[in-house]
């Protein structure tokens, strides 16, 4: 590996999955302004929308996502470009 290209400022950071409130701690160089207390220790906090504990690929469970409104909106928006036969 090349020397001097990797960050030196790794520290323990708490990552919180906002969809299910799961928190895990790992090393990171990500900057953050928020903190969270986990088991009596305060860590910098990075908020995630999805992680290994909530993603359907890892959990084996699927979530029903209501996308009908978005699909209908898309179809209505581009209906005027549809070729007429």
């Amino acid at each position: 590996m090349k020397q001097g290209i990797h960050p030196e400022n790794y520290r323990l950071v708490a990552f919180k999955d906002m969809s299910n409130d799961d928190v895990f701690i790992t090393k990171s160089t990500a900057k953050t302004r928020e903190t969270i207390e986990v088991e009596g220790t305060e860590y910098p906090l990075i908020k995630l929308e999805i992680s290994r504990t909530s993603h359907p690929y890892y959990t084996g469970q699927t979530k029903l996502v209501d996308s009908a409104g978005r699909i209908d909106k898309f179809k209505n928006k581009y209906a005027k470009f549809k070729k007429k036969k």
Side-chain angles (χ1 to χ4, degrees):
M1 277 199 292
K2 288 185 177 181
Q3 298 296 320
I5 62 169
H6 299 285
E8 300 288 332
N9 60 338
Y10 284 101
R11 67 197 191 291
L12 291 177
V13 176
F15 288 84
K16 182 176 182 181
D17 186 335
M18 300 308 288
S19 66
N20 64 3
D21 292 331
D22 181 52
V23 177
F24 61 95
I25 299 170
T26 187
K27 287 186 174 182
S28 177
T29 61
K31 292 180 171 53
T32 181
R33 294 182 181 154
E34 298 180 67
T35 61
I36 189 172
E37 188 171 319
V38 178
E39 297 177 0
T41 306
E42 193 167 309
Y43 296 100
L45 174 64
I46 303 289
K47 294 180 179 178
L48 304 172
E49 290 184 25
I50 195 164
S51 72
R52 68 182 187 276
T53 60
S54 63
H55 193 281
Y57 179 80
Y58 297 106
T59 63
Q61 300 173 358
T62 57
K63 288 185 185 178
L64 178 61
V65 177
D66 180 26
S67 61
R70 293 186 295 181
I71 293 170
D72 291 339
K73 183 178 178 184
F74 177 84
K75 286 181 180 178
N76 291 337
K77 182 176 181 180
Y78 291 100
K80 60 185 172 188
F81 297 110
K82 189 175 180 180
K83 290 184 180 179
K84 295 180 182 178
K85 292 183 180 180

